[in-house]
Structure formats: structure tokens, C-alpha cells
Amino acid sequence: MANAQLNLQKAFTNFFSGRAGFPKFKSRKAKQSYTTNVVNGNIKLADGYIKLPKLKWVKLRQHRQIPVHHIIKACTITKTKTGKYFISILTEYEHQPVPKDVKNVVGLDFSMNTLYVDSEGKRANYPRFYRQALEKLAQALHFGQSVHDNGWGMFTSFLQYKLAEQGKKLIKIDKWFPSSKTCSHCGRVKASLSLTERQFRCECGFVADRDTNAAINIKKEGLKQLGTA
């Protein structure tokens, strides 16, 4: 039951992140599978055989060797329509990322239409169906901005995780930082800026795309926090 709940949670996460369609229940006529977790060494591999809970040693054709520093955590046993069995083995290992020196920094500003705009003026190659799914969910549940904020939150969480794996950092700027109102050229801060103003225009003569200007300011603030500005 625990594995089924985890699989369901993963399916919905993939759906809302745009990596998969809406979860579907498996048909009994399709391939069958179950997942079992390691408890007190009840799953073992040795000399071309595998030991599974409630089963004796079973001979297997192993696709590739598991590195010695990997620890077996779970196995998923699948039976196909033709009666063949396959085993997927989930392992865990310690990964110690080596911190890297700061060489490149990019600022990202949230965008309702394209997910983000960076400090170079580039926009995310944002799949339209993901935004449509969020909009449908917002309408169905009478949510508003919170749904879009959640999509941005999932993106930044995943980005932080992937950067940490590589020894890199994600610097989050305070939400009250006036990135949109500040001129990235002279530093002057506007008293107000309506959402309909898509071009940022400053008294100093600087003109830029609103989101790109904000992303540049976010990059500068991030550099300050890193102590490299």
C-alpha cells in the first residue's frame, strides 16, 4: 500500500509538471507488477541469483552490475502479458557534490506566460499544455495566483536540487525586492509600475523589456548575496 501511494504521488507530480498525462489505473489485462522494499536484508544479489522476500534464490540474467557502494532499497517485479518476469532494482548511494567556484550567474524572473525570463532576455521553452492544466485546475478549484505560484515553486525546488547535485547554488531573492521597479541601468526605483506596462522606461533614458530588466536586477542582487558583485 505504501508503494502504491508513493507511485500515485509521483504520477500526479509528473502530471502537474507536464512530464506525463493524467494518471490512469492499470487494467488487470495489462502487465502486472508489485514493489517490495528491503527489510533486514530480505533482498540480496549474489553470483547471478537474486533472493526475494518469501522466495528462494532465483536465477536471473543481470543487465548490468550494481556498483559496490550502492545499497539496494527496493525491487519492482513485473510480469508481462507473455509470462516473462523482469526485476527493476532501486539503489541508493552517497553523493558528495564538490562546491564549485562561481563562474557564470544568471537571473530568473517569474513570467506568467513563459515560466521565466532570464537576465539575457531568453524565455523558457515552456510547454503550453502545462499552463493550460494549471488554468483548468485553478478554475475547477477556484484558485488564482496560488496555482501559478505552486508551479513556479515546483520548478525552483527541482532547479535547486539539480544545481546542488553539481555543487552549484540557487540564490532566492526576497519577494519584496523591487526587481521590476528598479532600473537595471542607473538603479533608480520607480514609485509605481502597473502590470500592463510591459516595457520598462526610466528617466535616465534606459528602455528594456520589463521581465528582462527584472531578471538583470535579480542577477545583480544574487551577486551581492554571493559576495562577488
Side-chain angles (χ1 to χ4, degrees):
M1 180 62 73
N3 285 307
Q5 291 174 334
L6 290 173
N7 290 337
L8 182 61
Q9 181 181 5
K10 181 179 179 181
F12 273 106
T13 299
N14 288 336
F15 167 66
F16 286 118
S17 65
R19 295 193 297 270
F22 191 83
K24 296 180 180 179
F25 291 102
K26 290 183 179 180
S27 168
R28 291 184 180 274
K29 296 181 181 179
K31 64 180 181 181
Q32 299 175 359
S33 65
Y34 78 94
T35 299
T36 181
N37 299 320
V38 173
V39 179
N40 297 324
N42 58 346
I43 300 176
K44 297 179 181 178
L45 273 173
D47 302 323
Y49 287 82
I50 186 169
K51 177 69 172 66
L52 296 171
K54 299 182 181 180
L55 292 177
K56 297 180 180 179
W57 287 91
V58 179
K59 190 174 183 179
L60 81 161
R61 183 181 298 172
Q62 195 166 338
H63 175 61
R64 59 182 176 181
Q65 293 296 319
I66 297 176
V68 293
H69 59 282
H70 284 227
I71 300 172
I72 297 176
K73 302 297 292 184
C75 284
T76 298
I77 297 88
T78 303
K79 180 183 179 182
T80 66
K81 293 180 180 179
T82 58
K84 292 183 179 180
Y85 288 87
F86 293 88
I87 300 175
S88 298
I89 302 174
L90 175 67
T91 64
E92 182 180 74
Y93 66 97
E94 289 290 335
H95 175 62
Q96 296 293 338
V98 179
K100 296 182 178 179
D101 295 332
V102 178
K103 293 183 179 179
N104 297 304
V105 177
V106 63
L108 300 179
D109 181 52
F110 170 70
S111 171
M112 288 286 288
N113 295 321
T114 61
L115 184 61
Y116 70 78
V117 177
D118 72 17
S119 49
E120 301 296 326
K122 298 177 182 177
R123 298 176 184 272
N125 185 16
Y126 189 40
R128 176 68 184 174
F129 64 82
Y130 175 53
R131 187 184 175 201
Q132 290 174 341
L134 287 176
E135 289 171 349
K136 287 181 180 179
L137 182 63
Q139 293 171 2
L141 301 180
H142 304 290
F143 288 166
Q145 181 66 32
S146 61
V147 175
H148 295 281
D149 289 344
N150 187 46
W152 174 252
M154 287 192 294
F155 167 71
T156 54
S157 295
F158 182 73
L159 180 61
Q160 185 171 28
Y161 167 74
K162 297 303 290 185
L163 288 173
E165 276 191 332
Q166 302 174 45
K168 301 176 183 179
K169 290 183 178 180
L170 175 68
I171 304 296
K172 294 185 178 181
I173 307 303
D174 188 272
K175 67 178 181 178
W176 301 115
F177 175 70
S179 59
S180 296
K181 296 180 181 180
T182 302
C183 176
S184 60
H185 181 70
C186 72
R188 183 181 281 106
V189 180
K190 285 178 173 284
S192 62
L193 183 68
S194 68
L195 291 174
T196 58
E197 295 180 65
R198 304 315 304 167
Q199 286 284 323
F200 181 89
R201 298 178 182 276
C202 183
E203 295 176 15
C204 71
F206 178 74
V207 179
D209 173 79
R210 173 199 180 107
D211 295 330
T212 303
N213 176 71
I216 294 172
N217 288 324
I218 290 170
K219 176 181 177 179
K220 289 181 177 180
E221 181 64 18
L223 287 169
K224 286 182 181 179
Q225 293 190 27
L226 285 170
T228 59

